[in-house]
Amino acid sequence: MHNFNEKIKELFNNMLHKRTFKRNLIGVSSVIFVGFMISSFIFFPMDSEGNNRKYTQDEKVEKKANDKKDESQKKKKTESLPDIKADDWKLVLVNATHAIDHENEQLEVMPNGFELDERITKEYLEMEKAAAADGINLKVVSSYRSIAQQEEVFATNLNQHIAEGDTPEVAESKTRAYITEPGTSEHHTGLAIDVVEQSWFDQGLGLEESFYDTEAGKWLEKNVPNYGFVIRYPKGKEEITNINYEPWHLRYVGKESAKYMTKNKLVLEEYLKKLEKAENPKVKEKKAE
């Protein structure tokens, strides 16, 4: 009888142990399952049907390429050409191969006595005011010039070189390096202006390349696009403009165009080609003149 009771007790204990073990096993299994589900949401993306899966290596490469393409398209969109026509009055091209058709008759005399196209005097004066606020006192050296006035400027410069001992041929070559022939000067448009700093001018200094190294020269390069102007003849573009670097020569093209041209390092000849190509995509882009 005693042995029977012992066996019953042993059997009961075994059953109790098995139930406890089973409960523990179920509990541990539940924790593992929940952990696995959380991990799957974190580390494995869902497909279009909401099913969890892991990207293959090829899919990762494709996804990376698509992301890069999207980023490139967004960047291209923000840098798209301004919505402006190549024949807009602000973009009139006057250079060695494009003589002016007619002289500007929409002129306004500014407080400093110089003339500019009446449609841009407000922007220039705002720029002058902004420069003054930054401690830069701008001084206009030249603005609108008629063809007759340009003839005088050209002749004076030519004769000066001859007086210094240059031959007529050398004198003409030097003159053409910085002075355009009458009829081909941007100053005829009323949209161009030569600007230096007052203290620079007071020292007897004029239109010199070293003006760029001054605080005023750097201020102009950085800020003129905010007022619709560009440095018309930048360094490195001489083969296109046929004019040496002139950090003092500003040309009005409008704010949107000025910012685009400056950001993309384009001179007016190059910018107009882009606009013309955009307007007529079937026409082959010619080499900038």
Side-chain angles (χ1 to χ4, degrees):
M1 185 69 178
H2 174 73
N3 291 335
F4 177 77
N5 289 335
E6 289 294 326
K7 287 186 177 294
I8 292 297
K9 184 177 180 181
E10 183 180 350
L11 181 61
F12 177 77
N13 287 334
N14 288 337
M15 291 176 63
L16 182 63
H17 177 71
K18 288 181 179 179
R19 288 179 181 177
T20 302
F21 175 76
K22 187 176 182 180
R23 285 198 300 271
N24 290 340
L25 182 61
I26 292 173
V28 172
S29 299
S30 298
V31 171
I32 293 174
F33 178 74
V34 171
F36 174 78
M37 291 299 293
I38 293 174
S39 298
S40 68
F41 280 109
I42 295 175
F43 297 105
F44 301 100
M46 287 189 174
D47 61 19
S48 59
E49 297 179 354
N51 300 314
N52 288 324
R53 67 173 178 80
K54 186 177 181 179
Y55 282 122
T56 65
Q57 186 60 32
D58 289 342
E59 288 175 324
K60 286 181 180 178
V61 172
E62 183 180 357
K63 184 176 185 300
K64 188 176 180 179
N66 289 335
D67 290 343
K68 190 174 181 180
K69 184 178 179 181
D70 290 342
E71 185 179 347
S72 177
Q73 289 177 338
K74 288 179 182 179
K75 187 177 180 181
K76 187 175 181 181
K77 186 176 181 180
T78 59
E79 296 179 354
S80 59
L81 277 169
D83 184 17
I84 188 170
K85 299 295 183 182
D87 61 356
D88 189 279
W89 66 269
K90 296 184 289 293
L91 304 179
V92 59
L93 179 64
V94 177
N95 61 20
T97 58
H98 294 79
I100 195 166
D101 293 331
H102 59 278
E103 294 185 71
N104 195 321
E105 296 179 357
Q106 295 179 267
L107 299 170
E108 180 180 348
V109 180
M110 296 187 292
N112 55 21
F114 287 88
E115 292 180 294
L116 276 181
D117 187 300
E118 62 185 9
R119 294 167 290 186
I120 74 167
T121 53
K122 180 181 177 182
E123 281 87 345
Y124 173 74
L125 293 175
E126 285 178 352
M127 183 177 72
E128 222 179 48
K129 185 177 179 181
D134 288 339
I136 306 294
N137 188 12
L138 296 180
K139 164 68 178 176
V140 176
V141 176
S142 180
S143 56
Y144 169 76
R145 286 200 300 266
S146 66
I147 293 177
Q149 289 172 322
Q150 186 69 12
E151 288 173 344
E152 287 182 26
V153 170
F154 193 91
T156 299
N157 197 275
L158 177 67
N159 292 329
Q160 182 179 342
H161 287 302
I162 292 175
E164 293 172 352
D166 291 329
T167 65
E169 292 77 13
V170 173
E172 184 173 352
S173 178
K174 287 184 177 180
T175 299
R176 289 179 185 279
Y178 287 100
I179 309 295
T180 54
E181 278 193 70
T184 64
S185 170
E186 276 203 329
H187 286 286
H188 300 327
T189 67
L191 303 175
I193 186 167
D194 293 337
V195 181
V196 294
E197 207 270 334
Q198 185 66 57
S199 62
W200 171 274
F201 186 79
D202 291 342
Q203 295 174 54
L205 300 171
L207 305 179
E208 302 174 31
E209 188 174 317
S210 56
F211 171 66
Y212 170 74
D213 297 320
T214 67
E215 186 179 352
K218 294 184 184 300
W219 189 94
L220 287 174
E221 182 180 57
K222 179 181 178 181
N223 293 281
V224 295
N226 297 327
Y227 302 92
F229 291 88
V230 293
I231 303 296
R232 177 66 176 92
Y233 306 120
K235 186 174 290 186
K237 298 285 187 175
E238 292 86 352
E239 289 188 6
I240 299 174
T241 63
N242 292 310
I243 297 291
N244 287 339
Y245 175 45
E246 295 188 356
W248 61 82
H249 184 97
L250 312 182
R251 163 62 196 267
Y252 186 82
V253 292
K255 292 181 182 179
E256 195 175 4
S257 293
K259 291 178 180 179
Y260 182 88
M261 289 171 65
T262 302
K263 183 176 182 180
N264 292 280
K265 299 180 179 179
L266 300 174
V267 290
L268 186 56
E269 288 84 353
E270 295 172 306
Y271 181 51
L272 287 172
K273 292 297 181 185
K274 279 187 171 292
L275 291 176
E276 290 167 359
K277 186 177 180 182
E279 293 171 19
N280 305 287
K282 292 183 180 180
V283 177
K284 254 189 173 181
E285 186 173 7
K286 297 179 181 178
K287 185 178 179 181
E289 296 178 343

